[in-house]
Amino acid sequence: MSILLITAAYLDFFCGTVNIYTIVIKQSCLLLVYISPIVYYMITKDKQQRWWAVFGCIWVVTISLRTKNEIHDYNETVCKAKFGKTFNQQRRNRGIAVIPQDWQITSSLGSEIDWKGKDQIIGHTDKSVYIDSACEDAFERDNYELKPIRGISRWISIGRVVTKGKGADTDSYAFEFGANSRNITRQQADSILASEKITKDY
C-alpha cells in the first residue's frame, strides 16, 4: 500500500499531466489504496473496519470524479494546443489567416481561444479559434484594425466556418464603423485592405 501511495505522490508532484497514461496510473494507485479496506471488510465482515470501508467508498467516488476532471482538462489542453501556431500550415492550405509567431494567447475559456499581437494597432490584430466537442477546428474569426476616421474606430471582421470532410468552408465578411456594422463581400474586404495598405494574409 505504501508503494502505491509513493507512486501516486511521485507522479502527481513530478510528472503532473504529462500524458493520459500518467493520469490513469496515478489515479489507479490511489483507487487501489482506498479499495483495500472495502475489500477487507467484505471478506472479514469485521465491524471495526466498517468505517474504514465507508471512508474508502467516499474516496473511491472522489478519486473517480477527480480522474474524470483531470482527463477532461488534459484533453482540452492538448486539443487547444493542436490548433495553435502549429496548425498554421493547414490554415495556409485552406486560405485562413495564420497566427503570427509573436502572438500570444490572451484568453482560453471553454471552446474558445483568443490570440492577439503585441502593440499592434493597424492591420491583423487578433484571432479567435473555436473548437468543437470532437476536438476539431469549427470556426475562426480574424479582425483587421483600420485607421480611425475622426476618432471613430474601423475594422474588418472575417469569419470562417470550417467544414468537415471535402466540403467548402463558409466565409463571412463584415465592415465595422464605430457601433455600426454591415456585411460585405470578399472582394470589398480585399479592396478596403489594399486601399489601407494592409497586407492580406488569408
Side-chain angles (χ1 to χ4, degrees), residues 83-99:
F83 296 104
K85 298 171 187 176
T86 56
F87 194 68
N88 277 343
Q89 186 55 54
Q90 288 88 330
R91 289 189 174 95
R92 291 188 184 95
N93 295 340
R94 303 190 75 144
I96 303 175
V98 301
I99 301 173

Side-chain angles (χ1 to χ4, degrees), residues 156 182-194 202:
I156 288 177
R182 63 183 175 88
N183 293 328
I184 59 176
T185 65
R186 174 170 181 150
Q187 289 73 22
Q188 289 174 317
D190 291 348
S191 177
I192 293 171
L193 292 177
Y202 56 89

Side-chain angles (χ1 to χ4, degrees), residues 2 10 18 27 47 62 92 96 105 111-114 140 145 147 149 154 164 171 193 197:
S2 298
Y10 176 84
V18 175
Q27 302 300 348
K47 293 183 179 180
T62 302
R92 291 188 184 95
I96 303 175
I105 293 176
S111 61
E112 179 183 354
I113 310 106
D114 297 324
E140 297 199 10
E145 193 81 17
K147 293 178 182 178
I149 294 180
R154 302 181 304 139
K164 306 299 182 294
D171 294 334
L193 292 177
K197 295 182 172 56

Side-chain angles (χ1 to χ4, degrees), residues 28-42:
S28 296
C29 289
L30 291 174
L31 280 174
L32 288 173
V33 169
Y34 291 107
I35 285 175
S36 298
I38 301 173
V39 174
Y40 181 79
Y41 173 74
M42 292 176 65

